[in-house]
Amino acid sequence: MRRRPPFRYARQAVTFLLACGAAGPLLGAQHASLDREILTELNRARTGPAAYAGLLETMLPRFRGVLYDRPDRVTIATQEGAAAVREAIAVLRRTTPLPPLDYSPGLSRAARDHAVDQGRDGGIGHTGTDGSRMVDRIGRYGTWDGSAAENIAYGSETARDVVIDLLIDDGVPDRGHRANILDPELRLAGAACAPHAQYRIVCVIDFAGAYREAKASPPRR
C-alpha cells in the first residue's frame, strides 16, 4: 500500500492575497456554495486539461513582470510572474484527461474541520490547533487507502481562483498542489471553505485514492 507524503501548504494563494485590496467577508451560504463549486472546477481541470490550459493562457498578457493585472480587480504581486503560468500551461497540455473526482462526505467534513479551526485565529498550514494532521482528520470520518493529500488556499474567493492558484503553484518548488490535482491515483475529494481572520477566507481540499465512509461519524465540538 503506497502512502504519499500528504502535507503541502498552499503558499501561492497566500502570496496572491497579500497584494489584494480589502473585501467583505463571504457569508456562510456562499461558503457552502463555494465548497461544491470547487469540486466541479477541479473536475473541469482533470477531465479537460488542455481546455483548462486555454483559461490560463488568457492570463499571460496581463503580466507586468511579477505583477498581474486582474480584470476589474486589484493588481496582485506574484513570486515568479508569467513563467509559472507558462509552466502550468505546458503541463496541462501534455496531461492525459483524468477521471473526475468523486465527492466524499467524510473528506468534506475533514476539510471543514480544518478550515473552521484555522479561520478562528488566522492560522496557516496543515497542523490543527489540536495537533491533528490531515490523516488524523480524515480518519475521523472514514478509512483511507492507497494515497491521501491536502491542498489549502488562502484568500481565493471563487472556485476558479482556488483551482487556478493551486495549478500554477507560484512559489512552490515541487508544484505539489498541482501534482495533487492531476494525480490519477487520487479518486475522491471533499472541499470546505470558512472565514479566515487574516486572509478573509481559507479553502481546504482533502483527497484520497480510496475512502470508506464511517457509518456513524463522531460528534465534533
Side-chain angles (χ1 to χ4, degrees):
M1 179 168 61
R2 185 179 72 86
R3 297 180 186 267
R4 74 172 354 195
F7 307 115
R8 293 181 173 126
Y9 161 46
R11 287 173 289 180
Q12 189 239 351
V14 175
T15 303
F16 270 29
L17 177 66
L18 293 177
C20 294
L26 296 185
L27 302 177
Q30 291 173 288
H31 284 138
S33 175
L34 187 55
D35 299 348
R36 297 186 294 269
E37 291 167 4
I38 287 172
L39 186 59
T40 298
E41 197 68 22
L42 287 167
N43 284 333
R44 286 195 182 106
R46 282 173 63 97
T47 61
Y52 215 85
L55 294 177
L56 272 61
E57 285 181 334
T58 66
M59 300 172 63
L60 295 175
R62 302 191 185 107
F63 276 94
R64 296 179 288 117
V66 297
L67 298 180
Y68 176 62
D69 297 321
R70 299 186 300 173
D72 303 320
R73 289 189 285 177
V74 177
T75 295
I76 56 178
T78 70
Q79 294 186 44
E80 300 175 64
V85 181
R86 292 191 183 97
E87 179 192 305
I89 290 168
V91 170
L92 287 166
R93 291 212 175 277
R94 65 173 180 261
T95 297
T96 301
L98 300 166
L101 295 160
D102 290 330
Y103 168 74
S104 164
L107 293 176
S108 182
R109 294 184 71 180
R112 178 159 299 283
D113 283 352
H114 196 48
V116 171
D117 181 41
Q118 287 203 328
R120 290 190 188 104
D121 61 0
I124 58 175
H126 293 274
T127 302
T129 57
D130 60 355
S132 64
R133 304 170 301 158
M134 183 270 290
V135 291
D136 301 319
R137 293 186 292 271
I138 67 174
R140 294 168 183 161
Y141 305 111
T143 303
W144 66 280
D145 197 3
S147 56
E150 181 171 82
N151 284 354
I152 308 176
Y154 301 89
S156 299
E157 295 185 350
T158 72
R160 180 153 294 179
D161 285 347
V162 168
V163 174
I164 285 178
D165 284 354
L166 295 172
L167 282 170
I168 294 172
D169 237 1
D170 177 59
V172 182
D174 70 355
R175 308 300 196 210
H177 309 99
R178 181 195 303 159
N180 288 341
I181 293 171
L182 301 177
D183 188 341
E185 295 190 21
L186 294 172
R187 302 295 182 88
L188 301 101
C193 302
H196 192 274
Q198 185 174 1
Y199 297 118
R200 297 197 305 272
I201 183 170
V202 54
C203 294
V204 179
I205 309 167
D206 285 336
F207 304 86
Y211 192 74
R212 187 172 67 254
E213 305 281 342
K215 292 182 179 179
S217 298
R220 297 292 301 156
R221 298 184 183 277

